[in-house]
Amino acid sequence: MPDALPPVQSFDPELLPSNLRGWVVDIAHRMQCPPDFAAVGAVIAASSLIGARAVVQPKEFDDWQVVPNLWGLIVGRPGVMKSPALGEALKPLFHLQLAEFELHEAAHEAWTLDSKVAELASAEREKKAKGLASKDPAAARSLLIPEVVAAEPIARRFTVNDATVEKLGELLNANPWGILSYRDELYGLLTSMDKQGQEGARSFYLQSYDGNQSYTFDRIGRGTVHIPRICLSMIGGIQPGRVQEYVRGAVAGGSADDGLLQRFGLTVWPDTAGAFVHVDQWPDTAAKAHAWEAFKRLADLQPASDTEPQVWRFDPKAQALYVEWSTHLGQELKLGELHPAMEGHLSKYRKLIPALALIFALLENPDTQLIKEGDLLRALAWCDYLRSHAERLYSAATTPETGAAAGLLRKIKAGALIDSFTPREVAVKGWTGMPTPEAVRKAADLLCDFDWLRRDVIQGGAAGGRPSERYRINPSAKGRAIRAGLPD
């Protein structure tokens, strides 16, 4: 049997800026997991801290701007340490959030006292004004003018885990430069937005990916809530079986086929095979401090003004390189030779690659407002790496019979099918990847090519009728499967 999953590029630590590289490698080594998990988590964390505070204008003269808020998806089966690695990569944000809450608590206590004093002073002035109302109305009026009281302090939010769309809108209204949405398991969020009545939530998330669009809620009871800018970064994990199931639905048309999945440009599905080594060592303190300092610097990044971001551009060499890459991408997309799902995914690289280049520039050259050739070259290396993982992601749709054939073979090995079967008999069982007789037929035909099955065509009886087909399991193949111990 051919491998059901296309090969992917392994992660090269050189893809990361120097101030994140050692820290990510140390996390992966201590957890004995692919470095892809922590690397994507670190890049998404950096993108969320920048948010809409800085943008890149990829074209030399055009005013098109890219906000570097990115979405990432970590694919791995249970037990491969994707959640612990992701949690470790996001720890700097959790630390920043804790420090922010502590500062906010002190500021809010001071504001509460100041508000109480202002309230008492107002009552005292009102009392005096009452006595002057008939004698000196002008003086009484001046006493009733309210003093300017500072607005209630609002804590900056770095992350949000599980919020309704309405609550998320409130948080983004208070944090217009951006927030990170972190979900340990993204499958629930993705499927919830496919349900009837969730069209508004889906539209909100789709628009939040742009990072510079406004959004307006119109609700009975809540009234009209206008949010000037919704900028959301997102990261989470998902299991292989569930993501394949979702991919098949997302590319089959309908409400899920709207580009939501394609927005997860930093999707990684690394190989997890290999020997396990027990590692028990203290974290690399120097590498950790170097990385956390970089995150702190991004957290302190200031926009150009209260409403306008910093604007970054490519230097001349980077600009020429970007034009070359962008032209090649545009030509490839226009050929129409890619699967529509893959074509839609690659079209989102028009934002992804400039955004990555900006993130890398802010991590290593934060004071120039120029993206250098090296920053863009690193982003383009990510492009090649991520494309291989995208091909694996969409293989559930582009070559569904391979995965279905592997699933059918597992069922045969497990004894769920004894001697023979028809496509319809299997389809009614509702097994993953085989929802219809036609899907079962394609999977079974592939197994026939490798001698696991034999296809028999049974002609109609004397009364006529359509011929039927039945697939017989090769007895020696069943024995070979058991003896070989084929992997699941």
Side-chain angles (χ1 to χ4, degrees):
M1 277 288 293
D3 195 337
L5 294 176
V8 294
Q9 286 189 23
S10 57
F11 186 81
D12 183 352
E14 291 297 319
L15 289 170
L16 290 169
S18 58
N19 45 14
L20 300 185
R21 192 178 306 144
W23 175 60
V24 166
V25 169
D26 180 61
I27 291 173
H29 174 64
R30 289 186 292 109
M31 294 192 173
Q32 286 293 285
C33 68
D36 314 57
F37 297 160
V40 168
V43 172
I44 294 292
S47 85
S48 73
L49 291 174
I50 300 166
R53 293 172 179 81
V55 299
V56 54
Q57 289 189 189
K59 296 184 177 181
E60 188 172 2
F61 304 109
D62 202 302
D63 63 354
W64 169 49
Q65 296 181 342
V66 168
V67 182
N69 61 308
L70 298 176
W71 292 8
L73 185 64
I74 308 297
V75 184
R77 66 180 188 276
V80 296
M81 302 295 286
K82 62 180 185 294
S83 295
L86 198 52
E88 194 70 19
L90 297 180
K91 267 188 178 180
L93 267 65
F94 303 151
H95 178 78
L96 288 167
Q97 187 69 82
L98 181 60
E100 174 67 16
F101 282 152
E102 290 175 350
L103 289 173
H104 173 260
E105 184 179 6
H108 198 271
E109 287 178 357
W111 174 84
T112 302
L113 293 174
D114 290 342
S115 298
K116 186 64 177 176
V117 170
E119 184 181 338
L120 293 172
S122 177
E124 183 64 24
R125 290 196 307 274
E126 186 174 347
K127 184 177 179 181
K128 290 180 180 179
K130 188 175 181 180
L132 292 172
S134 58
K135 301 176 184 178
D136 190 350
R141 189 188 191 113
S142 65
L143 286 171
L144 293 176
I145 297 174
E147 289 186 359
V148 177
V149 180
E152 181 177 5
I154 300 174
R156 176 181 174 181
R157 289 295 296 269
F158 291 90
T159 62
V160 61
N161 297 111
D162 184 15
T164 64
V165 169
E166 289 77 14
K167 183 60 181 178
L168 187 56
E170 290 181 12
L171 291 172
L172 287 170
N173 208 12
N175 297 268
W177 298 112
I179 298 177
L180 172 68
S181 175
Y182 167 48
R183 298 224 177 191
D184 184 58
E185 180 56 61
L186 270 170
Y187 181 75
L189 175 65
L190 293 173
T191 54
S192 70
M193 287 191 288
D194 292 342
K195 296 177 181 177
Q196 188 175 3
Q198 292 299 308
E199 295 82 5
R202 194 174 189 90
S203 173
F204 180 88
Y205 276 99
L206 287 169
Q207 206 153 323
S208 72
Y209 175 78
D210 292 337
N212 55 7
Q213 302 295 318
S214 62
Y215 197 89
T216 302
F217 287 102
D218 291 303
R219 297 287 188 272
I220 297 175
R222 287 177 175 262
T224 298
V225 178
H226 179 72
I227 308 170
R229 183 193 296 112
I230 52 173
C231 178
L232 188 69
S233 303
M234 196 183 310
I235 185 72
I238 196 168
Q239 296 177 24
R242 288 189 163 184
V243 78
Q244 287 178 315
E245 176 186 339
Y246 187 81
V247 166
R248 280 188 286 267
V251 303
S255 62
D257 191 11
D258 57 5
L260 180 69
L261 183 63
Q262 283 84 354
R263 281 164 167 76
F264 287 91
L266 270 73
T267 293
V268 291
W269 188 344
D271 297 320
T272 55
F276 176 83
V277 178
H278 178 72
V279 177
D280 184 4
Q281 66 183 47
W282 194 258
D284 186 333
T285 305
K288 178 180 177 180
H290 198 30
W292 283 42
E293 176 56 35
F295 285 117
K296 179 65 169 62
R297 190 175 67 246
L298 291 181
D300 294 336
L301 180 69
Q302 296 299 314
S305 69
D306 290 342
T307 57
E308 295 297 322
Q310 294 183 17
V311 178
W312 285 59
R313 296 179 179 274
F314 292 122
D315 72 9
K317 288 185 177 180
Q319 188 70 60
L321 180 61
Y322 171 77
V323 171
E324 180 184 351
W325 169 81
S326 179
T327 302
H328 182 271
L329 175 66
Q331 290 172 343
E332 182 180 17
L333 294 176
K334 277 186 173 293
L335 289 174
E337 297 176 352
L338 298 169
H339 188 280
M342 192 65 187
E343 188 176 279
H345 189 92
L346 293 181
S347 70
K348 298 295 186 288
Y349 281 21
R350 293 186 175 111
K351 165 173 175 163
L352 175 64
I353 300 309
L356 284 173
L358 174 58
I359 292 167
F360 299 147
L362 278 163
L363 281 166
E364 295 204 301
N365 306 291
D367 301 321
T368 62
Q369 288 195 220
L370 278 178
I371 299 172
K372 298 181 179 179
E373 184 182 26
D375 302 316
L376 183 55
L377 284 170
R378 176 171 279 126
L380 293 176
W382 272 83
C383 175
D384 295 337
Y385 159 75
L386 290 170
R387 179 166 180 162
S388 72
H389 288 258
E391 289 170 349
R392 173 171 285 188
L393 174 69
Y394 293 109
S395 66
T398 57
T399 55
E401 60 275 7
T402 306
L408 183 57
L409 183 56
R410 285 196 294 270
K411 296 295 184 181
I412 292 171
K413 289 167 53 183
L417 298 169
I418 306 302
D419 295 315
S420 65
F421 59 88
T422 66
R424 187 171 300 278
E425 288 171 351
V426 173
V428 297
K429 297 178 182 293
W431 290 341
T432 299
M434 294 172 277
T436 65
E438 181 60 25
V440 177
R441 186 177 293 110
K442 289 181 179 180
D445 285 344
L446 183 57
L447 290 179
C448 288
D449 292 341
F450 290 87
D451 294 330
W452 296 101
L453 301 176
R454 187 182 70 190
R455 181 173 178 263
D456 292 337
V457 178
I458 304 170
Q459 298 299 327
R466 296 170 59 186
S468 62
E469 56 190 356
R470 194 166 193 90
Y471 292 90
R472 300 189 180 278
I473 300 170
N474 185 338
S476 62
K478 287 176 66 177
R480 187 166 75 243
I482 296 171
R483 290 193 300 273
L486 290 176
D488 290 341

